[in-house]
Amino acid sequence: AIVMGAALGAEAFVARPTPKYMAVTRRPAAAKVNMDMAILPKINKLLKSPVIGGVPIVPVVAGVAVAAPVIKKILDTPSRTYNREENTVGKEYDAWTEEGILEHYWGEHIHLGWYSPQEMKDGYKKKNFIQAKYDFIDRMMAFSGLNALEKPPAKVLDVGCGIGGTSRYLASKLGSDSHVTGITLSPNQVARATALAKERGLDNTEFKVMDALAMKFPDNSFDMVWACESGEHMPDKKKYVEEMARVLKPGGVMVMATWCSRDDTEKPLDEVERKNLNYLESEWTHPHFISIEDYVKHFESTGYLETIHSEDWWECTIASWRHSIWVGVYDPWPVVRRPWVWYKTLRDGICLERFHRSFDTGLMGYGMVRARKSTEGYMVKDVTM
């Protein structure tokens, strides 16, 4: 607790307004860490005591005071920065898949969950953490317009499929007439996804190691393109959108969910925001984040994506960050029995809390964007300028 507190620091987080139906605890603006003056005499008494339980208290307190700034500096320095040439994204997910810890806690779906206003009011920890992820997929399906189609899409592409949880769920929900292809940069994820599909007896899914910025599929290959939390890892967001639009068939559906930074067009990021954003980007091997508004511009610039609609789902996903920490607190054994992952797990816990705070303050949001490809399959307006 001391280490995590030192790492998180006491910088001010100005929270965005809380909707009346939400039960989200928010930090007040310009929060300061104030010491209760009533405990000062107790601290003085402890410092004057030579030993407590045989341990000399003064050297211990002095040691903690000296070490705290050093520990904070170490934990404030991102440890997993993005490098496209070294495939840091693929390697990181290879490691997570091999460890099995992420799958143990998050299940087959490596994305945030969905929490209703009533569930937030009742207390998000009462909801099953894994079920929240299935609820998110159902909500994303409804948001995409998939449920309103006359017939299920015959060919679906899942961009950034992880260990294939969503691909298999879609394959099962859509039925045998639909085929779902998942792509990822991680060979270990492809192996795990394929094994799980075989266990479930699903023969309408397949998984490939492929770069989403240079897909090997021909133009107009898929009836639907689904991208859930893969845009965060893309160094070229515009190319990412263009590639997905390229392989989408005319008239097809495209839907994307991704973490986004706030729009800084009218109000540039200040020094504290830039520092916090830099940590969130670099700790989990993200090249950079962009705003929902910028993603919409990329959708529009393709020239053949129509009926573009976007939303910010931060309110119904924010609980996932702290819920992720609590499931580890309630079930610590998978980490406890692996001493070699303790330090990494500590850093992940700190990063989860910082993401929560960034959602809470409005520095980050959860972008949802959907569109249809023009039935003509070509530019519907001149966007060359």
Side-chain angles (χ1 to χ4, degrees):
I2 292 174
V3 172
M4 182 173 283
L8 292 173
E11 289 101 337
F13 282 80
V14 182
R16 42 176 141 192
T18 307
K20 293 181 180 179
Y21 60 80
M22 296 292 287
V24 181
T25 302
R26 301 190 181 281
R27 297 183 61 183
K32 301 293 182 182
V33 178
N34 296 315
M35 181 178 291
D36 185 351
M37 299 304 292
I39 69 170
L40 286 178
K42 298 178 182 179
I43 293 177
N44 287 331
K45 183 179 179 180
L46 285 174
L47 290 174
K48 291 177 182 178
S49 302
V51 295
I52 294 181
V55 178
I57 189 64
V58 175
V60 171
V61 172
V64 171
V66 172
V70 177
I71 294 173
K72 185 179 188 313
K73 182 174 178 58
I74 293 173
L75 296 177
D76 273 345
T77 304
S79 62
R80 289 165 277 186
T81 55
Y82 176 82
N83 188 311
R84 180 174 173 80
E85 286 69 31
E86 295 181 6
N87 189 24
T88 51
V89 174
K91 289 179 180 178
E92 191 64 29
Y93 280 111
D94 274 346
W96 270 327
T97 305
E98 188 174 347
E99 291 166 358
I101 292 177
L102 191 62
E103 184 177 345
H104 175 85
Y105 290 122
W106 287 51
E108 299 178 20
H109 303 274
I110 310 173
H111 57 76
L112 302 190
W114 190 91
Y115 300 77
S116 71
Q118 187 61 46
E119 288 168 337
M120 293 295 291
K121 183 178 180 181
D122 294 341
Y124 67 84
K125 285 183 284 185
K126 293 181 180 180
K127 182 167 186 172
N128 182 280
F129 184 61
I130 304 299
Q131 183 58 47
K133 298 174 184 298
Y134 284 99
D135 290 349
F136 180 89
I137 303 171
D138 288 335
R139 293 285 174 168
M140 187 169 172
M141 288 174 67
F143 173 82
S144 72
L146 175 62
N147 299 340
L149 297 178
E150 294 182 3
K151 60 180 181 179
K155 296 181 66 178
V156 179
L157 175 64
D158 183 3
V159 180
C161 64
I163 58 173
T166 298
S167 298
R168 290 186 296 276
Y169 187 74
L170 290 173
S172 178
K173 293 273 284 189
L174 297 177
S176 58
D177 290 337
S178 296
H179 186 276
V180 182
T181 300
I183 64 171
T184 172
L185 288 173
S186 167
N188 283 3
Q189 286 188 329
V190 167
R192 182 63 178 150
T194 302
L196 288 171
K198 186 176 181 180
E199 286 180 15
R200 310 288 159 74
L202 290 171
D203 56 5
N204 59 334
T205 60
E206 66 174 331
F207 303 94
K208 300 175 181 290
V209 176
M210 192 178 296
D211 186 350
L213 299 183
M215 289 190 274
K216 295 178 170 55
F217 305 115
D219 295 353
N220 309 319
S221 295
F222 297 93
D223 301 283
M224 181 177 191
V225 173
W226 175 289
C228 182
E229 298 187 12
S230 55
E232 298 88 334
H233 294 296
M234 303 298 165
D236 188 338
K237 314 296 189 191
K238 187 173 187 293
K239 180 66 174 176
Y240 167 62
V241 172
E242 290 173 346
E243 270 293 277
M244 291 192 292
R246 178 185 67 79
V247 300
L248 183 65
K249 290 181 180 179
V253 175
M254 181 168 151
V255 63
M256 180 190 72
T258 185
W259 313 340
C260 296
S261 56
R262 73 166 177 80
D263 182 36
D264 63 351
T265 303
E266 296 183 1
K267 181 185 176 183
L269 296 172
D270 60 35
E271 184 179 347
V272 173
E273 288 180 314
R274 184 61 259 174
K275 179 182 177 182
N276 289 331
L277 200 59
N278 179 68
Y279 175 88
L280 298 176
E281 290 169 342
S282 300
E283 178 62 13
W284 279 349
T285 192
H286 301 120
H288 66 282
F289 297 125
I290 64 172
S291 67
I292 298 173
E293 291 80 0
D294 284 336
Y295 270 116
V296 170
K297 291 176 183 176
H298 291 332
F299 271 61
E300 293 172 342
S301 70
T302 63
Y304 43 74
L305 290 178
E306 305 176 315
T307 60
I308 301 166
H309 176 72
S310 66
E311 295 179 9
D312 187 349
W313 281 16
W314 76 272
E315 295 170 307
C316 52
T317 57
I318 186 174
S320 299
W321 301 115
R322 285 183 174 169
H323 207 171
S324 301
I325 298 173
W326 279 110
V327 293
V329 172
Y330 295 145
D331 180 20
W333 182 242
V335 175
V336 172
R337 65 189 179 90
R338 296 179 174 92
W340 58 90
V341 302
W342 288 357
Y343 177 65
K344 182 179 179 182
T345 303
L346 169 65
R347 296 193 68 103
D348 287 341
I350 292 170
C351 197
L352 287 166
E353 173 60 20
R354 289 190 173 187
F355 264 110
H356 170 91
R357 294 187 184 188
S358 294
F359 267 48
D360 188 37
T361 62
L363 175 60
M364 295 283 293
Y366 199 94
M368 301 291 300
V369 188
R370 68 170 184 243
R372 297 287 293 268
K373 189 170 183 177
S374 166
T375 52
E376 290 82 4
Y378 54 80
M379 287 191 176
V380 293
K381 62 180 180 179
D382 184 5
V383 295
T384 56
M385 300 301 291

